[in-house]
Amino acid sequence: MSIQFDEKAARSLERSYQTPEIAATRQSTLNALGLQPGEHVADMGCGPGFLVAEMADVVGPHGRAVGIDTSANMLALAENRTDGLAQAEIFEADLLHLPFADGEFDALACTQLLLFIKDIPRALSEMHRVLKPGGRLAIIETDWRGVVLNAEDDNLTRRMFAAWDAAAVSPNLPVSLKPALLAAGLENVSVEGVPIINTDFGRDGFSSGMLRGVAKKAQSMGAVSDDEATAWIDDLKAKDADGAYFFCVNRFLFKAVKS
Ligand SMILES: C[S@@+](CC[C@H](N)C(=O)[O-])C[C@H]1O[C@@H](n2cnc3c(N)ncnc32)[C@H](O)[C@@H]1O
């Protein structure tokens, strides 16, 4: 399954990806990939293209940094971001049907995409196929069930995140990703936590946009009323005004190698 991000959602994600905490997550991905000048790398579900541009800088003019995505709005942002980088290529393509030859890449990144994919074995097998022997894979997924949030109404918070969970095609992936990677033929699988912590609810923080998105989603699914959605966000604003706002979610960075 693939999803389309409309222009507003694409712009909002682009803003959130510029926050220092998400920039640090991208740096963790880059470190995990250990790219060298001249290598060929691709980012699956590249979104607005930040990682492709950063990968293109590392592999340099003799390398190749490819971004694929299914959303026209995301592709436009990624093309704009990588404009002028001759080694960067942006394609419309689906992770489940990669338009690449076997063994085409030295390394692949796939961050925050698999939760939108139903057929995880097929996605992993496609990535395994297009990696060279010895090629490296870095995947990041978020554990939305483990959010730590200072909110007044625990029950309402649970309903918000239950709706968010239900909206994902493959929620709670981190718990099952290691065996799935091994089943797809990948080896040397390791995982580390990458926490995202916000102690204020300012517009320039990751959680501000995300939690507004969670409330909107829960509201549109009928899981909470309009008043409840407003009250939840107002409570978080009040916590912020009191200096008591606290948010943490864990992302998990999986590394694997094709033998
Ligand atoms: C939450 S965004 C993550 C963007 C980026 N990877 C990041 O971590 O910053 C998910 C992206 O995956 C794309 N996407 C969804 N389904 C896809 C599929 N089947 N194949 C390729 N891209 C897909 C979406 O259009 C979106 O840009």
Side-chain angles (χ1 to χ4, degrees):
M1 113 112 205
S2 65
I3 54 157
Q4 297 296 317
F5 283 83
D6 65 20
E7 194 178 346
K8 198 167 162 219
R11 286 258 171 229
S12 156
L13 269 183
E14 184 182 43
R15 259 197 314 281
S16 121
Y17 290 166
Q18 295 181 59
T19 58
E21 49 274 37
I22 301 305
T25 307
R26 273 197 303 280
Q27 190 56 52
S28 304
T29 307
L30 281 174
N31 295 345
L33 289 172
L35 296 173
Q36 299 297 319
E39 284 196 316
H40 290 201
V41 60
D43 184 17
M44 309 286 116
C46 64
F50 289 99
L51 186 60
V52 183
E54 289 161 4
M55 295 190 310
D57 276 345
V58 182
V59 298
H62 302 297
R64 182 180 178 220
V66 174
I68 67 130
D69 207 288
T70 47
S71 156
N73 296 301
M74 289 298 198
L75 289 164
L77 295 175
E79 264 161 20
N80 196 34
R81 181 144 290 105
T82 53
D83 197 25
L85 288 166
Q87 68 273 37
E89 298 164 29
I90 303 296
F91 289 116
E92 180 176 352
D94 188 324
L95 171 60
L96 298 177
H97 307 278
L98 291 176
F100 305 120
D102 297 358
E104 197 165 327
F105 292 99
D106 298 289
L108 294 180
C110 181
T111 67
Q112 301 296 126
L113 163 55
L114 291 179
L115 80 162
F116 300 113
I117 302 285
K118 191 165 182 194
D119 193 346
I120 299 296
R122 161 105 198 185
L124 298 180
S125 135
E126 270 297 83
M127 290 194 278
H128 178 272
R129 181 182 68 75
V130 303
L131 272 175
K132 283 182 185 163
R136 294 99 60 200
L137 172 63
I139 294 178
I140 291 202
E141 283 298 322
T142 304
D143 169 25
W144 283 108
R145 292 187 181 174
V147 171
V148 179
L149 183 68
N150 185 12
E152 212 53 39
D153 187 337
D154 281 340
N155 182 272
L156 179 56
T157 299
R158 269 196 295 277
R159 283 164 51 215
M160 290 284 184
F161 284 107
W164 189 246
D165 212 56
V169 178
S170 289
N172 203 29
L173 255 186
V175 298
S176 56
L177 208 43
K178 182 177 176 184
L181 285 161
L182 293 171
L186 289 142
E187 295 183 350
N188 295 350
V189 178
S190 65
V191 58
E192 62 188 78
V194 185
I196 297 177
I197 300 174
N198 287 153
T199 54
D200 64 63
F201 195 51
R203 288 265 176 193
D204 52 352
F206 169 76
S207 62
S208 168
M210 275 313 301
L211 296 182
R212 284 178 168 85
V214 168
K216 212 175 271 176
K217 187 58 154 177
Q219 202 177 345
S220 72
M221 291 167 73
V224 303
S225 68
D226 294 0
D227 286 352
E228 285 175 319
T230 304
W232 195 59
I233 296 297
D234 284 350
D235 171 43
L236 299 178
K237 286 183 190 163
K239 290 278 183 304
D240 188 37
D242 291 346
Y245 180 76
F246 187 92
F247 165 91
C248 176
V249 70
N250 283 309
R251 288 183 163 185
F252 294 94
L253 170 59
F254 289 82
K255 290 194 277 180
V257 176
K258 174 172 173 174
S259 62

